[in-house]
Amino acid sequence: MGIELKEETIAKLRAKLGREPTEDETRSARNELIRRAYAAMATTDLLMRDEAEDL
């Protein structure tokens, strides 16, 4: 899982909003992607630690 390009984020926002997104909307959407990526990494880390402890 990688973070999408800024152009991809803008294209998705354009389709969702039906207009050109503002810089703040773009930044907010990209920050959300980063938060989700960190949450996924943290969850994976916890699950792998639990699994390693069970071995």
Side-chain angles (χ1 to χ4, degrees), residues 47-55:
L47 292 173
M48 291 181 77
R49 285 178 194 228
D50 286 346
E51 187 176 311
E53 289 172 1
D54 290 343
L55 294 177

Side-chain angles (χ1 to χ4, degrees), residues 8-9 12 17-18 27 31 34 37 40 43 47 50-52 54:
E8 293 173 309
T9 303
K12 286 181 181 180
L17 300 171
R27 189 177 313 109
N31 287 341
I34 292 167
T43 301
L47 292 173
D50 286 346
E51 187 176 311
D54 290 343

Side-chain angles (χ1 to χ4, degrees), residues 21-41:
T22 65
E23 188 63 36
D24 284 341
E25 290 169 329
T26 303
R27 189 177 313 109
S28 177
R30 297 207 35 89
N31 287 341
E32 178 64 24
L33 290 172
I34 292 167
R35 281 192 296 275
R36 287 178 187 244
Y38 279 131
M41 286 187 282

Side-chain angles (χ1 to χ4, degrees), residues 10-22 25:
I10 292 170
K12 286 181 181 180
L13 285 172
R14 240 184 243 131
K16 179 180 176 184
L17 300 171
R19 60 176 170 75
E20 195 65 30
T22 65
E25 290 169 329

